[in-house]
Amino acid sequence: MKKLLLILTRKYPYAFGEPFLESEIAKHKDYQDRIIVLAQDISAGEAPTRVIPDGIEACITSTGKRKNLRISDWLHMLGQVLFPDSAVKEERMQRKLSLSQKAFLGYFEARTKRTLAESVKQLEKVDFNAYDKITIYSYWLFVNAAVAVGLRDYLRDERGYQGKIVVLSRAHRYDIYEDVNKLNYLPFRNKLLQDMDYIFPCSRNGADYLKNHYSVKGAEIQVAYLGSRDYGLSKEPDEVFHILSVSRVVKVKRLELLIDELSKIDTGGKKVLWTHIGAGVEGKPAYFESVKSYAQEKIKNISFEFLGFMQNTEVYEYYRNNAISVFVNVSASEGLPVSLMEASSFGIPVIATDVGGSAEMIDSERNGFLLQKDFPAGELAQKLEIMLCSSAEETAERRKAARELWEKHYCAETNYDRFVEMVSEL
């Protein structure tokens, strides 16, 4: 049986983002006869930023600058608001939308139609009938997933393909949880759940959310954990209690809350250092600067440093070459936090808020502590003090438990081997 795999991404292997695909994608080669990656949310003409494995084709579907195409999508949104097509009409009837939600729906539909047309153009010369099975794999349960469904219809209705087609999507955070969206709405949830064959959330929490929030049956929903590579262990803790956080400097990460808690730590005369790796989002440097100023104003009891943006490889080198005592994440929203996964792989205990799949990465306080999303003031400081005062034996046990949990559930080699074989057999 000859197999073709189409992978729909936002940016990979161009620009940055979707780093987990770097570990996964080459493994598909053992199960597929041809693999084509369609990067659907990147400006035309961009150069690849990641090495594409031999034998895998990749192309950008966009026909112009991303910014200009998005403006065009918003303009076409007006047409969907005033003269909705049948799919938009049906969605409006099902969901009883506000005006702003109708606008978002119209934009989503306009962007999907444009992206589908661009993708079809890229695939015109592919002889689909040379393959017995075609798998269309969207990396996101958002526009890419809607395009995946559209490509299946295109293959059936316009290319006359008679073989087996499987449509699946991974799902992460923003593409799962409607209640963290500013409009409290994600378009076409019921339709995607009905039209797709399989959906693979990256956490049990995400899978439960999809199963419990929508009554439509269709897609089979299975958890498929992502994974990080094994880069070894960090150095053993030394005389400095080293607290590390890694994230973009954006409001959802609640770094001001972390700063408030750090300022409350009773160090007992011990040396404590907080390091943050990560910068603000492009075009918004003011918020990053305000967070740094807030830290300078509030934190008087410990040392701290902001190291700014680092490439993934640089972050891994930092983990390996430094003695890190604990990793902290107080985010208000997560999917399955990559940062917790990576810290655990280096044998670093973690403290995190109970959002998204974070609870799945903390094992009954053996490898750290789980906090309520809106934990009482001082609780994080108290947990840090417990770890600060722990014996060498207790610290060693937490480090061992962190590593063991990663090996069992979040090792890239194991998880991606399992996933690509399953995708081949669906």
Side-chain angles (χ1 to χ4, degrees):
M1 175 182 283
K2 291 196 68 176
K3 299 177 181 178
L4 168 65
L5 175 64
L6 302 177
I7 304 179
L8 313 186
T9 71
R10 290 190 63 230
K11 300 179 184 298
Y12 178 88
Y14 309 89
F16 298 101
E18 297 153 328
F20 289 109
L21 263 175
E22 296 177 41
S23 301
E24 174 190 329
I25 194 165
K27 294 180 178 292
H28 287 286
K29 291 170 56 180
D30 293 336
Y31 298 90
Q32 306 288 336
D33 295 284
R34 185 177 182 184
I35 301 171
I36 303 174
V37 179
L38 302 178
Q40 300 179 319
D41 193 23
I42 194 76
S43 297
E46 293 278 347
T49 57
R50 271 72 65 87
V51 176
I52 306 169
D54 291 337
I56 294 178
E57 306 163 51
C59 64
I60 295 171
T61 63
S62 300
T63 55
K65 292 291 185 182
R66 177 177 179 269
K67 181 178 180 180
N68 295 336
L69 293 168
R70 288 290 186 88
I71 292 173
S72 175
D73 293 338
W74 279 111
L75 292 174
H76 282 88
M77 170 271 294
L78 295 174
Q80 287 292 343
V81 171
L82 297 174
F83 308 103
D85 62 23
S86 58
V88 170
K89 285 181 180 178
E90 184 175 352
E91 175 78 353
R92 285 188 187 181
M93 291 176 61
Q94 288 181 356
R95 300 299 299 269
K96 297 180 181 179
L97 306 178
S98 67
L99 181 59
S100 57
Q101 290 172 335
K102 288 178 181 178
F104 185 27
L105 171 62
Y107 162 75
F108 186 98
E109 179 74 343
R111 183 174 157 193
T112 298
K113 287 187 171 184
R114 188 257 303 170
T115 307
L116 176 59
E118 292 169 342
S119 301
V120 165
K121 185 72 174 176
Q122 287 288 343
L123 297 171
E124 280 181 340
K125 296 182 180 180
V126 177
D127 181 10
F128 292 105
N129 287 308
Y131 303 94
D132 303 293
K133 176 186 173 184
I134 298 172
T135 302
I136 308 174
Y137 167 17
S138 169
Y139 202 70
W140 304 93
L141 190 62
F142 199 65
V143 170
N144 298 120
V147 172
V149 172
L151 282 175
R152 177 182 60 195
D153 296 340
Y154 161 75
L155 292 175
R156 291 285 192 218
D157 300 338
E158 298 186 37
R159 298 293 292 268
Y161 180 75
Q162 298 298 313
K164 177 71 174 177
I165 302 177
V166 175
V167 181
L168 64 98
S169 179
R170 280 195 181 271
H172 305 266
R173 185 188 74 89
Y174 85 90
D175 53 347
I176 293 179
Y177 303 101
E178 278 196 317
D179 51 3
V180 301
N181 182 274
K182 290 181 179 179
L183 299 177
N184 197 34
Y185 170 64
L186 292 174
F188 295 122
R189 297 289 95 182
N190 290 322
K191 183 170 173 49
L192 289 175
L193 286 168
Q194 179 176 308
D195 290 347
M196 303 205 77
D197 297 309
Y198 298 89
I199 296 174
F200 296 99
C202 67
S203 69
R204 292 195 304 271
N205 184 277
D208 291 342
Y209 185 95
L210 292 176
K211 291 175 181 178
N212 296 332
H213 279 70
Y214 307 100
S215 58
V216 173
K217 304 298 181 185
E220 183 174 330
I221 298 171
Q222 300 181 30
V223 178
Y225 286 125
L226 299 171
S228 59
R229 295 176 180 174
D230 187 358
Y231 293 98
L233 296 171
S234 69
K235 289 185 175 181
E236 294 289 333
D238 54 25
E239 69 276 4
V240 177
F241 186 76
H242 193 172
I243 303 165
L244 179 67
S245 55
V246 180
S247 73
R248 295 177 302 149
V249 182
V250 292
K251 291 185 177 180
V252 70
K253 299 301 180 181
R254 302 197 296 186
L255 289 180
E256 292 99 336
L257 175 60
L258 175 56
I259 290 167
D260 288 340
E261 291 294 309
L262 294 173
S263 71
K264 295 181 174 71
I265 295 174
D266 181 357
T267 66
K270 298 180 180 179
K271 294 180 180 179
V272 178
L273 169 66
W274 169 47
T275 299
H276 182 77
I277 297 174
V281 296
E282 185 178 355
K284 296 183 179 180
Y287 182 66
F288 186 19
E289 294 303 318
S290 72
V291 169
K292 290 196 289 185
S293 296
Y294 189 66
Q296 291 167 356
E297 172 190 337
K298 291 283 293 186
I299 298 178
K300 308 297 182 185
N301 52 332
I302 67 172
S303 301
F304 64 91
E305 59 186 356
F306 289 85
L307 299 185
F309 173 77
M310 288 185 180
Q311 299 284 1
N312 286 347
T313 52
E314 295 174 307
V315 176
Y316 304 148
E317 282 299 309
Y318 188 89
Y319 275 121
R320 194 163 37 224
N321 296 326
N322 288 271
I324 301 167
S325 306
V326 60
F327 184 94
V328 178
N329 177 5
V330 295
S331 179
S333 175
E334 288 287 357
L336 190 72
V338 179
S339 56
L340 296 188
M341 189 185 303
E342 292 175 339
S344 297
S345 77
F346 286 92
I348 300 169
V350 297
I351 299 177
T353 42
D354 188 4
V355 292
S358 295
E360 297 164 45
M361 305 194 69
I362 297 180
D363 183 10
S364 301
E365 301 189 357
R366 289 182 59 240
N367 65 326
F369 296 98
L370 186 68
L371 307 176
Q372 298 173 10
K373 176 183 175 181
D374 298 310
F375 57 86
E379 183 175 359
L380 172 56
Q382 182 187 49
K383 300 302 184 188
L384 289 168
E385 289 167 8
I386 290 172
M387 299 184 80
L388 174 63
C389 297
S390 294
S391 66
E393 291 76 14
E394 290 170 329
T395 298
E397 282 299 314
R398 288 196 188 99
R399 288 173 60 82
K400 180 182 176 183
R403 175 70 181 190
E404 287 177 347
L405 183 138
W406 173 82
E407 289 175 342
K408 184 176 181 180
H409 295 295
Y410 305 109
C411 173
E413 285 297 313
T414 302
N415 288 358
Y416 295 141
D417 282 344
R418 184 185 303 122
F419 182 73
V420 298
E421 183 176 2
M422 179 172 57
V423 167
S424 173
E425 295 176 353
L426 292 175

